[in-house]
Amino acid sequence: NIISHQYVAKLPGYPVIGYILFREENDKPFTFWDMLSVVKQYLNDIEYDEKYTAAEIKSYAKKLGKSINDIKRNLFSTRIPPILITGYFGGVDVSAYSDWYKYIDNGKNDANVILLYKQAFFTQQFTTEISSSDRHRKVPVTLQYRDTMSLGPQGGLKKLGEMVNQPKIDTTVWDKEDGKPAGFYKSHMRDLLKSRPSDYQSYAMTDAEITLKYLGFFLRIEQEAYDDG
């Protein structure tokens, strides 16, 4: 019973923007097309207008075993840059999409999934096609997964948040203010959304913000170590 999906999008040289997609209890489950729609919206919001090069189109055709005309017909008019999907406990995040199995190592792509823990994994960059909800369009994209669980110390997202000065929100404060038993809102998120919509949004976005900030933190350290030789 997933209430929402949260995204924090960032393209080098452009601002960070957060997005939340909500669903009602009887709505269809989220799919990867929803994720791609957020990416497309972000590119529109930052006024990104690069186009695909002939070399990129040719590469998609070769990797997907399709004609160049087929690739051109399904591409968006604005180029979709390679997409890096990062999260914490990523197996749980990815499985929240009903069609997740199409975009993980399924014998049809070269994702080369490496599973470190039960739900923590990463991949190399790979090419796939994301299908629209009506299946009339399959957009070629380059994807890669990174799980910050495998890059951080023990202590969960709370510890990562402390490291990047982005503390996790303690919902028990709201429980107390609203006369609820401790842990109520944590296990009744629809009630939190109904009673405290702005607080729900803040709580929901925090994990995504921590994940992005920690990934940037980790990559900076890695780059500094590389530069130092």
Side-chain angles (χ1 to χ4, degrees):
N1 187 20
I2 298 171
I3 301 172
S4 63
H5 272 184
Q6 296 73 234
Y7 303 86
V8 178
K10 176 72 172 78
L11 188 66
Y14 293 88
V16 176
I17 301 180
Y19 301 89
I20 299 183
L21 299 184
F22 291 97
R23 64 178 293 278
E24 299 295 336
E25 291 186 76
N26 295 321
D27 288 346
K28 292 181 179 179
F30 290 114
T31 68
F32 263 68
W33 187 258
D34 294 311
M35 182 275 293
L36 184 59
S37 297
V38 170
V39 172
K40 193 169 182 290
Q41 181 63 53
Y42 172 71
L43 296 176
N44 181 69
D45 290 342
I46 63 174
E47 299 182 350
Y48 176 88
D49 61 356
E50 288 192 20
K51 306 301 179 184
Y52 289 96
T53 66
E56 285 178 309
I57 294 171
K58 185 177 180 180
S59 177
Y60 276 136
K62 181 178 180 180
K63 291 177 179 178
L64 295 171
K66 295 194 171 184
S67 71
I68 288 178
N69 285 338
D70 280 341
I71 296 299
K72 287 182 176 179
R73 185 164 54 249
N74 283 285
L75 289 174
F76 293 132
S77 58
T78 299
R79 173 179 178 266
I80 301 294
I83 300 170
L84 171 62
I85 302 175
T86 187
Y88 189 88
F89 217 44
V92 173
D93 292 338
V94 171
S95 64
Y97 296 100
S98 62
D99 54 351
W100 65 269
Y101 55 90
K102 297 179 182 178
Y103 308 106
I104 304 295
D105 196 5
N106 57 11
K108 296 182 180 179
N109 58 49
D110 54 353
N112 190 27
V113 175
I114 305 297
L115 186 66
L116 298 182
Y117 308 102
K118 185 178 180 181
Q119 297 288 356
F121 72 100
F122 63 93
T123 72
Q124 63 184 14
Q125 248 186 21
F126 65 97
T127 300
T128 188
E129 297 171 293
I130 296 181
S131 300
S132 61
S133 54
D134 60 10
R135 300 181 184 275
H136 290 164
R137 189 172 197 170
K138 292 184 177 181
V139 180
V141 296
T142 299
L143 292 180
Q144 186 175 17
Y145 298 93
R146 280 289 180 269
D147 197 323
T148 54
M149 182 179 181
S150 61
L151 302 175
Q154 292 184 347
L157 272 173
K158 181 179 180 181
K159 182 63 176 179
L160 301 192
E162 292 171 355
M163 294 175 68
V164 297
N165 297 315
Q166 179 78 33
K168 278 184 65 66
I169 294 175
D170 182 5
T171 60
T172 61
V173 174
W174 302 331
D175 294 331
K176 185 176 181 179
E177 290 177 352
D178 294 352
K180 306 290 185 182
F184 177 82
Y185 282 134
K186 182 77 171 179
S187 57
H188 297 80
M189 282 289 154
R190 285 201 181 274
D191 289 290
L192 177 60
L193 176 60
K194 182 178 179 179
S195 301
R196 293 171 167 262
S198 61
D199 288 334
Y200 174 92
Q201 180 171 322
S202 297
Y203 178 82
M205 290 300 298
T206 295
D207 288 359
E209 292 169 354
I210 290 174
T211 299
L212 180 62
K213 287 184 177 181
Y214 182 77
L215 180 64
F217 168 79
F218 181 86
L219 293 177
R220 283 194 298 274
I221 292 177
E222 185 179 50
Q223 186 63 53
E224 288 171 3
Y226 177 84
D227 292 342
D228 290 342

